[in-house]
Amino acid sequence: MIRPQQSNGQKVSTGILGFDEIAGGGLPRGRTTLLVGGAGCGKTVFALQSLVAGSREKEPGVFVAFEEDAAQIVANAVSFGWGIEGMSKKKLFFFDARLSPEVVKAGQFDLVGMLALLKAKVEEIGAKRIVFDGIDVLLGLLDDPAAERREIYRIRDWLVAMRLTGIITQKAHSVDAGHHYDFLQFMADCVVTLRHQVIDGASHRSLRVTKYRGSSFSADEYPLALSARGVDVTPRGPSELVYRVSEERISSGLERLDGMLDGGYYRGSNVLISGAPGTAKSTLGGLFAESACKRGERTLYVSFDEGAAQIVRNLRSVGIRLAPHQKSGLLKMFSTRTRTTSVDEQFRQLHEIVNDFAPRCVVIDPFSALSTKAFRSSSVDTGQRFLDFLRRQEITVLNTSLLDGLGADEATATAISTVADTWIHLSYVAQDGERNRALTIVKSRGMAHSNQVRELTLSAKGVSMTDVFIAQGKVLMGVARWEREQSEAVATIRAQIENENKRLQLEVAQAEAAARMEVVKREMEARRVELANLSDVTGASASRLDAQRNTLKRLRRADSEPLGAARSSKKSPPRAASKRGGR
Amino acid sequence: MPKKVLSSRPQKLRLYVAGHAPNSILAIANLKLICETHLPTDHELEIVDLLEDPRRALADGIVVTPTLLRLHPLPVRKVIGNLSDASQVLLALGR
């Protein structure tokens, strides 16, 4: 049969988003893909999902079930919400190829008849894709490796002749045992290996493309999850780090912390808050979430092993109110257990929530709950991949991490510290019989930031930051700081009083001096008047003396000698006069 | 060792084959031999070429070829393979 889409593309989409990305578009069109994996890896779901995706794109499909009851497969797939139950047999046909246990085998058989039946069906509905699920169950009955191989080749040739895009699933144990099914892998154009491991009691599913003829592909192992929507693969994303970076600053929710950070966190940056248990990491997360909601930004708060209601209540006790934002739908709280699902599954779930909710800010509390587990698993970089995804979305993310010290192994092992743009460390300072919270900024890329240690205090009124005292090389906090503050205050008051006293004294002295000056001024005035009076008196008496003398002369009828002559002969006449006068 | 037929009604057999596939040709030959030597003469045998009538094979739930069905007496018995193992065939047919 002729396939009109043949020339349009060499790949067919599987409808599994992450997988299409890894395989450069999907499965090879018109060719055979082998899906290898152990029990419970998701082979059947993977195959069925891509079949359903095809039938949605007007590529009807046939599912040949060798292992499970077709009705059972449909029933299981209903929960994925693909609408499989509503699909007509014209779009998706199930061929029940199970042999009941009562069937007696008497000699060799072949698949000629089955393929003839399938051909009839394929042509009837115009199928473009076909899945052979669990073919080893049937071929195993042949009990003859050569015959099995012959039938496999028969199927391959048939697929090629039919120009069908085929998926054959195969159990992995037969591969491990070096079974004769190995040749399947050489025969197939594309081989996808699924793996399911249990590490430390946590399940890890992964997927790897091991072969892809005529196409580039990523051969790395990727986490795979069986979610409520089917198979999900988490691709790593582009290897080159290309992000939009923002100059915008957003508040940490704590004004003084913003100050220390020269304006707040960068939009789209990754903030790490590390610290021992109880150092108020969640509180900083809550503050950040609250301030984001106040700005009207959608915020996702992810918490592990602590219920949302409990977090809201606890944060309320320090004046952080999240409930109204929760009601308005701006804030979404997502609480989950650390141990319920695998770390890959959890990240995938978060991925989904982020996609659905489209938040601008995310708080993950604590991130270490995920990363410590990831550290042990094969998918070390799952956490980083998720952070990378958030960064590409320009979502500002605040992670808290349980760390006892800055040099802790966890930080380096999980490498969140290298991803973090801003790292704030909270610690306890035990001193004088009490523990106090200290906040330091370990690093903050691209911004001037304070190198000062601050004390973080929590109260019903809210969270505040206080300068610490440094005395004798020790940082003082709590009561010690309070005492220090008190003594400082007393000293200040004392100094104020002393100053006041001194001022008063000086005023008195000044007043005294002024008063003294007034006295002196008055005295001076008095003397001056006295002096003036004195000279007046002297002048008046002299002229009166002259006048009296003239009067006396007249009375005595003295020579009216001219004044000059009289004066030149003054000596003798006055003497004479005095002689006369002395008589 | 031929045995007496116990059922009142004759046995009804149907063999599905796929054209001239080697196993199908072998099955026809093997079945005819078994019928001649071991089955009473009043049995009914129908040979269906699946390539010519796939719908009928689908309805009968045929997966591989050759497949022999014993439709009567009930329950239906199913034997797959080229019927080279005569003892297995006879066991399945209740002989």
Side-chain angles (χ1 to χ4, degrees):
Chain A
M1 57 191 277
I2 309 297
R3 299 167 48 84
Q5 293 106 316
Q6 178 82 28
S7 55
N8 291 359
Q10 292 305 304
K11 307 246 174 142
V12 293
S13 168
T14 55
I16 301 163
L17 213 65
F19 179 78
D20 288 355
E21 200 174 302
I22 295 162
L27 298 175
R29 184 180 291 280
R31 293 183 180 264
T32 308
T33 298
L34 183 68
L35 220 52
V36 189
C41 277
K43 295 188 298 295
T44 304
V45 181
F46 187 105
L48 186 58
Q49 195 167 350
S50 54
L51 207 60
V52 170
S55 58
R56 283 225 196 89
E57 290 165 31
K58 290 174 184 155
E59 287 200 3
V62 173
F63 191 98
V64 188
F66 292 96
E67 200 163 13
E68 285 176 86
D69 180 17
Q72 197 77 52
I73 291 172
V74 174
N76 292 343
V78 164
S79 63
F80 293 134
W82 303 332
I84 195 169
E85 65 278 15
M87 281 186 178
S88 76
K89 287 188 170 182
K90 295 273 174 204
K91 284 181 137 185
L92 188 59
F93 180 78
F94 282 89
F95 183 80
D96 204 334
R98 287 177 313 147
L99 288 177
S100 76
E102 285 86 50
V103 168
V104 176
K105 188 200 157 206
Q108 291 245 321
F109 60 90
D110 54 60
L111 299 180
V112 179
M114 186 187 78
L115 294 177
L117 292 178
L118 290 174
K119 182 174 188 248
K121 206 70 209 176
V122 164
E123 285 172 352
E124 184 190 321
I125 67 170
K128 306 272 190 283
R129 304 186 188 189
I130 193 161
V131 171
F132 290 93
D133 187 36
I135 193 155
D136 42 319
V137 173
L138 181 65
L139 296 184
L141 280 177
L142 282 170
D143 213 13
D144 174 1
E148 287 180 39
R149 185 178 287 228
R150 188 191 66 215
E151 295 312 311
I152 290 281
Y153 276 111
R154 198 191 298 282
I155 290 173
R156 203 269 309 259
D157 292 347
W158 180 81
L159 284 170
V160 171
M162 298 291 290
R163 309 195 134 221
L164 282 168
T165 305
I167 297 176
I168 299 175
T169 69
Q170 185 200 357
K171 288 189 191 61
H173 60 77
S174 45
V175 176
D176 295 339
H179 200 268
H180 45 270
Y181 286 117
D182 275 3
F183 72 91
L184 257 171
Q185 305 209 19
F186 295 102
M187 184 204 86
D189 298 290
C190 174
V191 177
V192 179
T193 311
L194 306 182
R195 219 148 67 103
H196 186 193
Q197 294 168 280
V198 175
I199 300 164
D200 280 351
S203 117
H204 296 276
R205 285 193 174 89
S206 59
L207 173 148
R208 195 164 95 85
V209 178
T210 44
K211 172 183 174 180
Y212 203 138
R213 276 187 192 139
S215 168
S216 63
F217 63 95
S218 169
D220 288 349
E221 199 164 59
Y222 293 91
L224 174 145
L226 289 177
S227 71
R229 296 176 195 182
V231 173
D232 256 306
V233 182
T234 320
R236 188 164 294 142
S239 57
E240 199 186 351
L241 300 174
V242 185
Y243 310 113
R244 262 161 42 80
V245 289
S246 175
E247 291 293 324
E248 191 190 340
R249 298 296 187 95
I250 55 175
S251 173
S252 63
L254 199 56
E255 207 180 313
R256 288 202 58 177
L257 184 55
D258 290 346
M260 283 174 83
L261 291 167
D262 196 25
Y265 307 135
Y266 273 123
R267 162 88 62 207
S269 70
N270 190 312
V271 182
L272 173 66
I273 309 236
S274 65
T279 44
K281 297 185 297 296
S282 302
T283 309
L284 282 185
L287 277 171
F288 175 66
E290 191 193 33
S291 75
C293 289
K294 279 181 181 163
R295 289 192 301 271
E297 293 172 8
R298 294 167 81 82
T299 304
L300 175 68
Y301 194 110
V302 182
S303 60
F304 289 93
D305 302 322
E306 195 176 3
Q310 195 184 341
I311 290 170
V312 171
R313 183 204 65 194
N314 294 349
L315 288 176
R316 197 173 55 223
S317 73
V318 288
I320 300 167
R321 286 173 207 288
L322 296 179
H325 302 300
Q326 232 180 335
K327 259 181 215 136
S328 73
L330 266 179
L331 177 70
K332 186 181 174 75
M333 304 282 290
F334 177 73
S335 300
T336 180
R337 262 181 220 288
T338 325
R339 294 300 289 190
T340 42
T341 43
S342 77
V343 65
D344 297 336
E345 165 66 17
Q346 269 168 340
F347 276 117
R348 194 206 48 71
Q349 227 174 39
L350 290 179
H351 214 96
E352 213 167 76
I353 292 169
V354 168
N355 273 337
D356 287 350
F357 186 64
R360 290 212 73 189
C361 298
V362 173
V363 175
I364 304 173
D365 180 30
F367 190 80
S368 47
L370 289 168
S371 52
T372 47
K373 249 170 55 170
F375 165 52
R376 292 169 207 277
S377 83
S378 54
S379 46
V380 183
D381 49 0
T382 317
Q384 286 209 32
R385 220 176 285 169
F386 180 66
L387 294 178
D388 196 55
F389 157 75
L390 292 179
R391 197 186 286 267
R392 268 182 281 144
Q393 313 273 318
E394 230 185 339
I395 295 169
T396 315
V397 54
L398 185 144
N399 301 310
T400 69
S401 185
L402 206 61
L403 294 181
D404 287 328
L406 293 182
D409 286 343
E410 269 181 274
T412 41
T414 55
I416 17 169
S417 58
T418 58
V419 180
D421 300 305
T422 300
W423 182 0
I424 293 168
H425 187 70
L426 298 173
S427 57
Y428 276 126
V429 177
Q431 197 175 46
D432 302 336
E434 57 179 55
R435 273 170 167 270
N436 296 295
R437 298 178 178 93
L439 180 149
T440 32
I441 299 169
V442 181
K443 71 166 181 181
S444 197
R445 286 174 181 155
M447 58 174 85
H449 55 273
S450 170
N451 63 349
Q452 300 288 297
V453 176
R454 293 281 182 276
E455 185 180 346
L456 199 65
T457 44
L458 309 181
S459 72
K461 282 181 199 158
V463 184
S464 56
M465 274 165 53
T466 322
D467 287 337
V468 291
F469 275 99
I470 295 162
Q472 288 105 46
K474 272 171 84 181
V475 172
L476 297 184
M477 290 191 171
V479 169
R481 171 180 55 75
W482 182 82
E483 281 174 355
R484 183 78 186 199
E485 273 177 359
Q486 294 308 305
S487 63
E488 285 264 308
V490 167
T492 312
I493 291 167
R494 190 172 293 150
Q496 273 174 1
I497 292 169
E498 275 172 12
N499 282 345
E500 183 65 17
N501 280 344
K502 196 142 200 170
R503 191 181 62 81
L504 286 173
Q505 280 173 6
L506 281 173
E507 269 177 14
V508 168
Q510 199 186 18
E512 273 176 9
R516 268 206 306 273
M517 225 164 89
E518 188 64 26
V519 170
V520 170
K521 228 165 83 184
R522 295 275 169 86
E523 270 178 10
M524 261 176 75
E525 181 67 15
R527 299 276 151 80
R528 194 185 57 79
V529 170
E530 212 176 344
L531 199 66
N533 288 345
L534 192 67
S535 59
D536 276 1
V537 169
T538 318
S541 56
S543 60
R544 195 180 302 158
L545 207 64
D546 271 353
Q548 282 172 349
R549 195 177 287 141
N550 288 338
T551 312
L552 199 64
K553 269 181 191 171
R554 257 189 329 267
L555 290 173
R556 284 186 184 174
R557 292 194 174 46
D559 302 348
S560 55
E561 56 188 331
L563 200 66
R567 216 173 273 270
S568 60
S569 59
K570 222 176 209 177
K571 280 192 176 173
S572 49
R575 214 176 290 143
S578 66
K579 263 183 207 173
R580 269 173 286 178
R583 169 199 47 111
Chain B
M1 279 193 294
K3 274 187 183 176
K4 278 279 167 198
V5 184
L6 296 173
S7 63
S8 52
R9 285 180 57 193
Q11 277 216 334
K12 192 176 170 190
L13 305 175
R14 186 180 293 160
L15 178 68
Y16 278 98
V17 293
H20 300 288
N23 280 326
S24 294
I25 292 167
L26 259 173
I28 294 169
N30 282 336
L31 184 60
K32 281 185 173 161
L33 193 69
I34 290 167
C35 288
E36 277 166 26
T37 47
H38 299 291
L39 293 188
T41 48
D42 63 342
H43 71 269
E44 279 176 41
L45 174 62
E46 183 188 15
I47 293 169
V48 180
D49 188 351
L50 184 147
L51 303 186
E52 283 167 14
D53 200 351
R55 290 184 168 279
R56 199 164 160 202
L58 273 174
D60 268 339
I62 301 305
V63 177
V64 298
T65 47
T67 297
L68 172 67
L69 295 177
R70 187 194 74 178
L71 298 166
H72 185 84
L74 290 174
V76 174
R77 290 260 169 87
K78 198 182 256 183
V79 182
I80 60 166
N82 57 22
L83 310 178
S84 55
D85 191 342
S87 58
Q88 283 291 329
V89 178
L90 288 171
L91 207 68
L93 294 180
R95 295 281 99 193

